Amino acid sequence: KAGVTQTPRYLIKTRGQQVTLSCSPISGHRSVSWYQQTPGQGLQFLFEYFSETQRNKGNFPGRFSGRQFSNSRSEMNVSTLELGDSALYLCASSLNGGVDTQYFGPGTRLTVL
Amino acid sequence: AQKVTQAQTEISVVEKEDVTLDCVYETRDTTYYLFWYKQPPSGELVFLIRRNSFDEQNEISGRYSWNFQKSTSSFNFTITASQVVDSAVYFCALSEALEGGSEKLVFGKGTKLTVNP
């Protein structure tokens, strides 16, 4: 079974731009979660989607948003980029969310200049 | 709130040495799950183990073993006869129940393990 895939793997943007990251979960998995990883804050939960609905969101500003499609693929969007948004963005999929184990993709490394 | 503490920021060992990575957690929940993930330089978080709070049996998988002690809120990870390929950052994580039936993972800061030849 193919693992979680994320595209693109690397991105360079400038302040004020917006960016869209994509995540394809493991086949059959219906829950997708997003995490941000930075050297200072570590790994932090962004949001979780299940059946095209956002079930929960972490403590991030409204500039961070996402969506999930009927095939469980998910995208996250960051608008009006700030230097502090530079991070590794990791997507994780699980069967149905909840206590199911989350399997992570390789991440998208975003650099904001 | 849930909290995971990995006090060891970096550990360096020589190949074939045994090494233990410490993890201490705080939670209000009576039912919870603990995890260990490995992050090699490529960046992907690789799942290693999941443990239910009701199951305090230690687990061994090849060179890896885990010691879960509820009394001390610890879930330590030991690598026996370490190898260079074990070099990575290791994260301990704790599940936190959220509204709507979902859960998120609360991660420790990670322990960077370097195994030298």
Side-chain angles (χ1 to χ4, degrees):
Chain A
K1 223 182 217 183
V4 178
T5 58
Q6 291 186 246
T7 56
R9 293 293 310 278
Y10 302 92
L11 264 179
I12 299 176
K13 293 285 187 179
T14 56
R15 276 182 300 176
Q17 286 187 309
Q18 75 164 20
V19 67
T20 299
L21 314 181
S22 181
C23 171
S24 292
I26 292 171
S27 177
H29 284 194
R30 298 165 64 193
S31 170
V32 172
S33 296
W34 289 87
Y35 292 80
Q36 181 196 64
Q37 185 178 23
T38 60
Q41 299 299 315
L43 280 150
Q44 292 185 289
F45 171 75
L46 276 159
F47 27 63
E48 188 232 359
Y49 286 88
F50 180 78
S51 290
E52 302 178 65
T53 301
Q54 184 183 92
R55 289 206 288 196
N56 272 290
K57 184 172 182 180
N59 190 23
F60 281 84
R63 299 185 297 107
F64 291 81
S65 63
R67 59 178 175 168
Q68 186 181 34
F69 302 94
S70 58
N71 61 358
S72 294
R73 191 176 70 84
S74 176
E75 289 181 347
M76 70 163 279
N77 185 276
V78 187
S79 62
T80 320
L81 284 166
E82 300 177 0
L83 295 178
D85 297 333
S86 294
L88 179 66
Y89 290 88
L90 291 160
C91 163
S93 78
S94 67
L95 212 53
N96 291 303
V99 297
D100 291 335
T101 298
Q102 295 182 33
Y103 296 91
F104 285 80
T108 294
R109 186 165 294 282
L110 172 64
T111 303
V112 182
L113 303 175
Chain B
Q2 325 287 67
K3 185 179 177 182
V4 176
T5 302
Q6 295 180 255
Q8 306 147 309
T9 306
E10 290 193 43
I11 299 177
S12 183
V13 299
V14 177
E15 211 169 14
K16 297 184 184 174
E17 278 186 44
D18 297 347
V19 58
T20 295
L21 309 182
D22 298 332
C23 172
V24 174
Y25 62 92
E26 295 175 30
T27 180
R28 297 172 304 226
D29 297 339
T30 52
T31 302
Y32 52 90
Y33 289 80
L34 293 160
F35 303 80
W36 276 94
Y37 286 87
K38 171 183 178 179
Q39 188 175 43
S42 60
E44 180 175 351
L45 279 172
V46 178
F47 166 73
L48 295 176
I49 189 172
R50 179 178 98 151
R51 180 48 54 101
N52 183 310
S53 57
F54 290 109
D55 183 0
E56 287 193 69
Q57 282 190 355
N58 292 333
E59 179 152 343
I60 298 175
S61 176
R63 297 185 297 106
Y64 295 170
S65 62
W66 290 270
N67 182 2
F68 176 32
Q69 290 196 335
K70 218 168 171 179
S71 60
T72 57
S73 297
S74 65
F75 186 41
N76 297 335
F77 172 32
T78 297
I79 302 174
T80 303
S82 60
Q83 299 176 1
V84 173
V85 292
D86 295 328
S87 297
V89 181
Y90 290 86
F91 290 94
C92 180
L94 169 68
S95 64
E96 178 176 336
L98 303 173
E99 290 181 11
S102 66
E103 305 241 344
K104 71 174 186 181
L105 294 176
V106 176
F107 286 88
K109 293 293 188 184
T111 296
K112 182 178 180 181
L113 173 66
T114 302
V115 182
N116 299 297

